[in-house]
Amino acid sequence: MEWTLKLEHRDSEGTLHSSTLAKIERPELADEADLGLSHDTGKHLLWRVQMEIASAQVRSFVTKARQCSGCGRTRTIKDRRRRRIDTIFGQVRVPAPRFESCRCGQLGDLSPVTSLFPQRSTPELRHLQASLGGEFSYRQAAKLLRQFLPASDSFNHATIRNRVLEIGQQIEAETTAEISERSVVAAPAESMVVGIDGAYVAATRTHMQRRHFEVVLGRIEAPDCNGEIFAAVRDLDGLARERIRSALRRAGRGPDTKLTVLSDGEDAMHRMAGDWLSGTMEHRLDWFHLDRRISWMWKAVYHTLGLGDLDAETRFRQYGRALRSVRWNLWHHGRSRHARWMIAISRLASSILSHRLETDAAGQNTTRIDDLYKRFLDFQGYVYRNIGSLADYASHRQRGERVSTAHVESTVNQLINQRMCKKRQMRWSRSGAQFLLNVRTAHLNGRLERYTGLAKPRSKVMPPDRDLMPIPA
């Protein structure tokens, strides 16, 4: 079976042009693999269509650009050459003539095609390469492009890496300029919630002799900002604090904006929230990490009662009541002036110590009970270190406010674990990591189009002519 694929287009003057793209041969349907076009044939046809459309567009553009903007004369062609332009559907070769200067003295573009494509690629391709390079390794991103799109010389890991680093440097220069200017927010938000966390990335071997460096990241939620993501390498150049403040200003933070900061309660994060995010700020201990430590206590209890204790069931109910009381009081009365959760924690400590005394009096091994008590002391110290950051989580939850940083944990997975750490065992330089984080956060925040030159699509697909549609049987 044979098909002839033709392409028709109508120019600005209304003239209809027709060209034959390809002849397709497919066997009679005898096997499921014979149905329709093959993958390679489809990619080739896409490239042929792209070649025809791009060539027609460039010829029309060159014809118009040849006219002098001052006197309207047709300029003389100095030489004829062709340019390779990388597009999302393959590489195309288009005419790129150079013109002589007009006799009237009007200065015009002598090589309009070269000026139109300074990077010799389309914004859509640059955007796709940057977004894939920010999400996957450079080699895997190039492999995906080669597998699903028509072949092009730019579908290699070096080009994708250069695209990502170039855009990352562009974003970094814009951020540095904003930091030096400290622009004033036109319409500051009344309130803002910031979830903040940290992650460690394996570092390249340098004179600093440090195997890892820390990345501070988080998510900003404001009435007019739906989840702005930020990330900064902490010890890159001393501007990590200013990068985060710049992200807050971009999200709408002003001098009087009430800021609520959620963190895991570790000492470093607590101090950083106070030093870096100064102003009208309330630090709130994240319920996700607090509840996880209570879950660790449950696991320690299971481990302790697996020793063949005759009263294991009774002990388990006793520990269960104590842990549920701790959790309930922290959830409902975390900031209560009566400190009910302190009483619940004291009762839990009494249960553990009485269990140890009875076990020791019976001449049994108390090692695992000691381990349970160490886990309890760790939990107790964590709560008391963050006593000023506890909140009435139930009340905040009823008002629809954020009480957990689970959404920040997903941000860590998107930015760090998926691309730089757990799934990609790589080592990074601090500057390279910052450039990649700039591209990745811009993509997740929906601002990557600004740096790749990709605008909203202006072309539209015309509905097919009813006269050409198949008539149902």
Side-chain angles (χ1 to χ4, degrees), residues 240-360:
R241 177 179 65 178
E242 298 302 327
R243 288 189 180 92
I244 295 177
R245 290 182 175 179
S246 174
L248 290 171
R249 287 194 295 270
R250 188 169 58 247
R253 187 193 182 188
D256 300 327
T257 301
K258 180 182 178 182
L259 193 65
T260 302
V261 181
L262 292 168
S263 74
D264 57 8
E266 296 297 335
D267 293 340
M269 281 294 159
H270 200 165
R271 288 195 301 270
M272 186 179 65
D275 296 339
W276 290 20
L277 308 178
S278 57
T280 308
M281 187 199 71
E282 173 195 357
H283 182 264
R284 188 180 299 169
L285 180 62
D286 165 42
W287 175 255
F288 172 77
H289 288 85
L290 183 58
D291 186 59
R292 188 167 65 174
R293 288 180 178 261
I294 298 176
S295 300
W296 291 347
M297 288 293 300
W298 275 102
K299 293 179 181 179
V301 168
Y302 277 116
H303 183 67
T304 303
L305 298 180
L307 298 175
D309 191 346
L310 297 178
D311 298 329
E313 186 175 351
T314 303
R315 295 281 186 191
F316 183 76
R317 287 198 298 267
Q318 181 181 0
Y319 280 125
R321 285 194 300 268
L323 284 171
R324 282 192 295 271
S325 177
V326 171
R327 187 180 188 277
W328 192 92
N329 281 285
L330 283 172
W331 174 256
H332 290 277
H333 307 290
R335 193 165 284 233
S336 173
R337 62 186 180 88
H338 300 293
R340 295 185 178 182
W341 56 269
M342 291 184 180
I343 301 174
I345 288 179
S346 300
R347 288 175 179 172
L348 178 59
S350 300
S351 299
I352 297 173
L353 293 176
S354 63
H355 184 196
R356 188 191 185 286
L357 289 175
E358 293 176 8
T359 304
D360 186 53

Side-chain angles (χ1 to χ4, degrees), residues 200 203-204 206 208-214 235 430:
Y200 285 89
T204 55
T206 61
M208 299 180 68
Q209 299 297 322
R210 293 182 63 182
R211 294 185 176 182
H212 296 82
F213 58 87
E214 187 179 8
D235 57 348
R430 286 163 173 78

Side-chain angles (χ1 to χ4, degrees), residues 99-245:
F99 304 129
E100 298 281 0
S101 299
C102 186
R103 289 178 296 175
C104 69
Q106 177 70 26
L107 296 177
D109 197 344
L110 303 182
S111 182
V113 175
T114 303
S115 302
L116 185 63
F117 298 98
Q119 303 187 45
R120 303 199 181 184
S121 61
T122 59
E124 191 174 17
L125 177 61
R126 296 196 296 269
H127 184 274
L128 183 61
Q129 289 175 327
S131 59
L132 289 179
E135 186 172 358
F136 302 101
S137 66
Y138 300 132
R139 292 182 184 273
Q140 187 175 1
K143 183 179 179 181
L144 288 173
L145 291 175
R146 289 193 301 268
Q147 184 173 1
F148 293 106
L149 296 178
S152 174
D153 294 340
S154 64
F155 294 167
N156 59 78
H157 66 279
T159 301
I160 294 177
R161 181 184 65 239
N162 293 337
R163 298 258 194 247
V164 171
L165 295 181
E166 180 184 0
I167 295 173
Q169 292 172 355
Q170 183 180 353
I171 298 174
E172 185 66 21
E174 182 181 292
T175 303
T176 305
E178 198 279 335
I179 290 173
S180 60
E181 294 175 1
R182 293 180 181 245
S183 57
V184 179
V185 181
E190 295 182 1
S191 61
M192 186 178 294
V193 178
V194 179
I196 194 169
D197 203 350
Y200 285 89
V201 176
T204 55
R205 294 178 176 88
T206 61
H207 66 281
M208 299 180 68
Q209 299 297 322
R210 293 182 63 182
R211 294 185 176 182
H212 296 82
F213 58 87
E214 187 179 8
V215 175
V216 181
L217 50 89
R219 187 185 293 263
I220 306 169
E221 293 179 338
D224 296 331
C225 176
N226 188 16
E228 178 86 8
I229 295 174
F230 62 86
V233 177
R234 187 165 186 174
D235 57 348
L236 173 61
D237 51 7
L239 294 177
R241 177 179 65 178
E242 298 302 327
R243 288 189 180 92
I244 295 177
R245 290 182 175 179

